[in-house]
Amino acid sequence: MSSATERRKQVAQLFRDKFGAAPELWARAPGRVDLMGSHTDYNLGHVLTVAIDRDTWMAASATGNDRVRLYAANLNAEDCFSLASIGRSRSNKWSNYVRGVAWVLAGEGLRLPGFDAVIHSTVPLESGLGSSAALECVAAVVFRDLGGWRMERERMARLCQTAENQFVGVNCGILDQFSSCLGEEQCGLLLDCRDLSCRRIPIAAGIRIVICDTRAPRQLSGVEYATRRAQCEEGASRLGVSSLRDVSPQAWEEHAGELPSTTLQRCRFIVAENERVLRMAAALTAGDCASVAGLCADSFAGARDLYEICTSPMLGMMDAMLGAPGVIGARQAGAGFGGCMVAFVEEEQTDSFRAAVTERYRESTGITPEIYSVRGAPGAGLVNFN
Ligand code: GLA
């Protein structure tokens, strides 16, 4: 679907086909890409993120009862559950993100209306751009607006994270849900994951953010993600701090040598990556391309050698990105283990960059990648059709 108008028409038609009327409300929530700060969120550090102009829509109408009926257009799948007793679905795993949000909101004592909804997403699924969070956040907006209550965006982000942690069972940090709820048009966000304070980071004119999707299936990311998290927690506890965010250079100097070698590697990456986030925010705003290049290179080297989250298609993509015209810097994105990566590219070279990366990556891996530029988009809310 090309434009928002076309997309609206098609989703409205699907809604009519499934539920026999026009939807009363349109909500959206964006995906995200991290520009610096891999795995720093659950270490309560900093992360530089941008909510992107690819989003998940829900066209919805209240039903006046306690049933939620969902149609996921991308998957051509339906699901239905009762708000009176919210259990997990085994066959429709995607629906657990909506069920989880309902479960958490109900636990907060909020009024939850039943509704019918068509879900349509332009965030590619399972590719590391926060599609799960986008679905959680758009569901929260629909419950809020049909339920007639208000909620601060930070709290909404936290509750959606709780849904993912406790209902879906993925122990993620706050990055994805925060980005989706608090995104800003044309801007990156510098987020402090400890207290959720956040600063808008304008990106210098002439620099484009380009997603390079390896389109290689993400490998073992669930298990590996949990292992990385446990290793960081172990490191923090051995260093005598509650999170790696709090390791001082002096404590690091004195005690890092006592850590077991893999734990040391993981912690070394996080401590340095957290530092890089602040420098990256300054470099991107100033248009300091040399620093962007250096910070991205260090981040990727650490992800590959210390945190060990880079798969072989990611190495192929990194080569392709770094060899393409107009590249300023490039690195991993999301949790790693495949999925999307991100490049910073000179605006006027974006098309040549795309063509060169596509050709080179295809040659080395046999996979056709997807390459597209994104810009900062507003956080979850009602769809603005202009
Ligand atoms: C996934 C998680 C996030 C974050 C990133 C890595 O996207 O959902 O919370 O930990 O990985 O930075």
Side-chain angles (χ1 to χ4, degrees):
M1 295 185 196
S2 47
S3 66
T5 324
E6 189 56 20
R7 188 177 173 195
R8 178 190 194 176
K9 235 172 35 196
Q10 298 199 24
V11 174
Q13 185 58 50
L14 285 171
F15 194 94
R16 258 191 307 276
D17 294 348
K18 295 287 163 196
F19 306 116
E24 75 180 80
L25 173 145
W26 293 79
R28 58 167 284 285
R32 64 97 190 92
V33 63
D34 50 302
L35 306 182
M36 188 58 72
S38 290
H39 295 257
T40 48
D41 64 346
Y42 55 79
N43 287 295
L44 304 189
H46 303 286
V47 59
L48 181 60
T49 174
V50 63
I52 58 176
D53 51 348
R54 292 215 163 199
D55 53 16
T56 299
W57 281 10
M58 259 198 197
S61 288
T63 48
N65 57 38
D66 68 359
R67 297 200 76 71
V68 174
R69 292 191 298 176
L70 304 169
Y71 174 67
N74 302 68
L75 306 171
N76 187 23
E78 293 177 18
D79 190 50
C80 178
F81 64 94
S82 162
L83 292 166
S85 95
I86 306 167
R88 288 177 189 79
S89 169
R90 285 183 181 201
S91 45
N92 285 313
K93 292 216 173 341
W94 56 271
S95 131
N96 288 331
Y97 298 103
V98 180
R99 290 165 179 247
V101 168
W103 177 78
V104 168
L105 295 175
E108 296 288 298
L110 292 158
R111 188 182 97 79
L112 296 190
F115 61 82
D116 292 336
V118 169
I119 304 165
H120 178 262
S121 188
T122 56
V123 187
L125 306 181
E126 295 190 354
S127 66
L129 293 183
S131 59
S132 313
L135 179 51
E136 289 154 4
C137 297
V138 76
V141 170
V142 169
F143 278 120
R144 180 195 69 189
D145 284 33
L146 293 178
W149 37 268
R150 291 278 152 257
M151 182 179 280
E152 276 186 2
R153 295 188 297 167
E154 287 82 354
R155 180 167 169 227
M156 187 181 277
R158 278 271 189 235
L159 293 175
C160 289
Q161 182 199 9
T162 305
E164 181 137 357
N165 293 165
Q166 295 180 12
F167 191 90
V168 178
V170 174
N171 208 10
C172 62
I174 189 71
L175 166 65
D176 306 351
Q177 292 80 7
F178 187 93
S179 310
S180 191
C181 285
L182 285 100
E184 292 271 355
E185 198 141 11
Q186 304 290 357
C187 263
L189 304 172
L190 174 58
L191 167 65
D192 182 329
C193 299
R194 178 152 57 196
D195 60 9
L196 296 196
S197 58
C198 174
R199 201 147 57 78
R200 303 169 78 233
I201 303 294
I203 295 174
I207 301 182
R208 293 305 295 265
I209 300 165
V210 180
I211 302 291
C212 297
D213 188 343
T214 61
R215 301 194 64 214
R218 283 199 293 170
Q219 298 165 0
L220 289 175
S221 56
V223 181
E224 293 291 338
Y225 186 89
T227 311
R228 295 297 178 286
R229 190 166 177 157
Q231 288 163 333
C232 290
E233 282 162 9
E234 187 210 339
S237 128
R238 285 178 181 255
L239 290 165
V241 286
S242 58
S243 69
L244 288 181
R245 150 71 177 276
D246 289 322
V247 179
S248 65
Q250 193 198 345
W252 182 256
E253 195 63 30
E254 282 172 18
H255 299 295
E258 299 155 18
L259 298 176
S261 66
T262 308
T263 312
L264 173 63
Q265 263 180 240
R266 307 295 191 240
C267 295
R268 190 186 292 285
F269 172 74
I270 294 297
V271 169
E273 181 80 348
N274 195 38
E275 249 278 306
R276 281 191 283 268
V277 173
L278 302 174
R279 286 161 51 207
M280 184 70 163
L284 272 179
T285 301
D288 174 356
C289 294
S291 297
V292 170
L295 291 163
C296 286
D298 291 348
S299 176
F300 182 73
R304 183 191 57 208
D305 303 335
L306 299 174
Y307 220 62
E308 297 182 285
I309 53 173
C310 297
T311 54
S312 125
M314 289 173 70
L315 303 183
M317 181 59 85
M318 191 66 183
D319 274 350
M321 295 190 289
L322 290 181
V327 68
I328 296 167
R331 64 184 286 280
Q332 71 286 356
F337 303 106
C340 290
M341 301 181 73
V342 61
F344 301 91
V345 179
E346 290 165 20
E347 184 156 25
E348 65 276 16
Q349 297 264 35
T350 315
D351 289 342
S352 338
F353 174 87
R354 182 187 303 118
V357 173
T358 303
E359 193 184 320
R360 192 158 172 168
Y361 179 76
R362 200 193 286 135
E363 251 169 38
S364 70
T365 62
I367 306 168
T368 303
E370 243 203 284
I371 318 287
Y372 47 91
S373 67
V374 289
R375 51 180 82 238
L382 298 182
V383 181
N384 176 6
F385 287 114
N386 293 315

